[in-house]
Amino acid sequence: MIELIPAIDLIDGKCVRLTLGDYSQKTVYHDDPVAIAQEFESQGIRRLHVVDLDGAKSRHIVNGDVLRAITENTHLVVDFGGGIKSDADIEQAFDQGASMVTIGSVAVKSPELFLSWLNRFGADRIILGADVRNGKISINGWMESSSEDLIPFLGRYIREGVRHVLCTDISRDGMLSGPAISLYSDILREYPALHLIASGGVSSNDDILALERAGVPSVVFGKAYYEGKIDLTQLM
């Protein structure tokens, strides 16, 4: 069964979703992220993806207190991303209860720092974030495009020991238009041993089952759940 990973995206300590990564297209779904995390756990979810959107924009962790509150009040395995730019940031994320961290921008702009974290904390605790727009990696909360092409970017880090990749198709994020199955199939064809986490566009249980049929190991979803389009009881 494909691993189900709900997302909690944070702005001002609240649970939100953006459309196409646009901070001006924000919907607030809940004022209490801890309550949402507990709701997921009560339905049998074991893992949670938490994104500090304020941190991604500010380039340092902003919502670390929310991360701590979630990890102290649930038994969920939490991976945390957004605003991790320095040794102090990554240490803070782990100190505040994250089991794993998702690193994107640093892998593009400071590869030596990223590799030092990979070596220091291990490949099971570092997830390479690959946020893609028109085939290129985007960084800093999707506000900047890089010149990095997706497949070579992944290959370079897989050869260095990366085993977990979270890949978001930005053009689909928050659109409920269906996941980029062909993109994920291309990645897995090139790197079949990769633990790939799909993200972006999931609109229904059927989308999740389609990803499972395509061999994708894990999926992140958010908006579809918050808008009642995913029924976890049918997927567990």
Side-chain angles (χ1 to χ4, degrees):
M1 179 66 193
I2 190 169
E3 182 182 31
L4 304 173
I5 310 175
I8 292 179
D9 293 357
L10 299 170
I11 291 180
D12 296 329
K14 298 176 181 179
C15 178
V16 308
R17 293 296 289 173
L18 305 181
T19 298
L20 299 174
D22 184 348
Y23 283 73
S24 69
Q25 297 187 62
K26 177 185 72 177
T27 302
V28 177
Y29 285 104
H30 207 286
D31 289 341
D32 188 352
V34 175
I36 292 294
Q38 291 171 330
E39 177 181 311
F40 285 131
E41 187 173 35
S42 72
Q43 295 182 78
I45 291 294
R46 297 181 179 178
R47 176 150 166 207
L48 186 66
H49 178 60
V50 176
V51 183
D52 184 352
L53 290 174
D54 291 316
K57 195 172 185 178
S58 302
R59 304 189 187 187
H60 62 85
I61 292 175
V62 174
N63 287 288
D65 56 335
V66 181
L67 168 63
R68 182 182 294 280
I70 290 172
T71 59
E72 287 184 346
N73 289 281
T74 72
H75 295 95
L76 294 166
V77 173
V78 176
D79 76 76
F80 179 83
I84 299 175
K85 307 295 184 187
S86 67
D87 286 335
D89 289 323
I90 196 168
E91 289 164 5
Q92 178 184 349
F94 285 133
D95 287 346
Q96 291 180 311
S99 297
M100 294 166 279
V101 293
T102 300
I103 308 294
S105 302
V106 167
V108 174
K109 290 199 161 184
S110 305
E112 290 183 2
L113 180 58
F114 176 84
L115 290 174
S116 75
W117 293 344
L118 186 66
N119 292 327
R120 178 180 172 187
F121 297 105
D124 286 332
R125 302 193 77 191
I126 303 292
I127 302 167
L128 175 62
D131 300 329
V132 186
R133 182 185 279 122
N134 299 322
K136 301 286 187 181
I137 300 292
S138 289
I139 57 176
N140 293 327
W142 303 349
M143 293 183 292
E144 294 180 41
S145 293
S146 76
S147 60
E148 293 275 6
D149 291 314
L150 174 63
I151 296 295
F153 174 76
L154 295 182
R156 185 164 73 250
Y157 283 114
I158 288 168
R159 288 190 291 273
E160 294 286 351
V162 161
R163 295 201 292 268
H164 302 270
V165 169
L166 172 63
C167 183
T168 302
D169 184 336
I170 298 169
S171 70
R172 295 172 185 258
D173 192 73
M175 298 299 291
L176 301 177
S177 57
I181 292 175
S182 61
L183 171 66
Y184 302 128
S185 296
D186 289 345
I187 292 170
L188 290 171
R189 191 176 302 113
E190 192 75 22
Y191 307 113
L194 182 66
H195 186 96
L196 178 64
I197 306 163
S199 173
V202 172
S203 67
S204 65
N205 285 22
D206 286 344
D207 283 342
I208 291 174
L209 295 173
L211 286 165
E212 183 177 44
R213 288 193 296 273
V216 176
S218 301
V219 58
V220 165
F221 55 88
K223 186 174 183 177
Y225 175 84
Y226 296 120
E227 299 200 352
K229 299 179 184 298
I230 286 177
D231 184 351
L232 289 179
T233 63
Q234 296 180 4
L235 294 169
M236 302 302 292

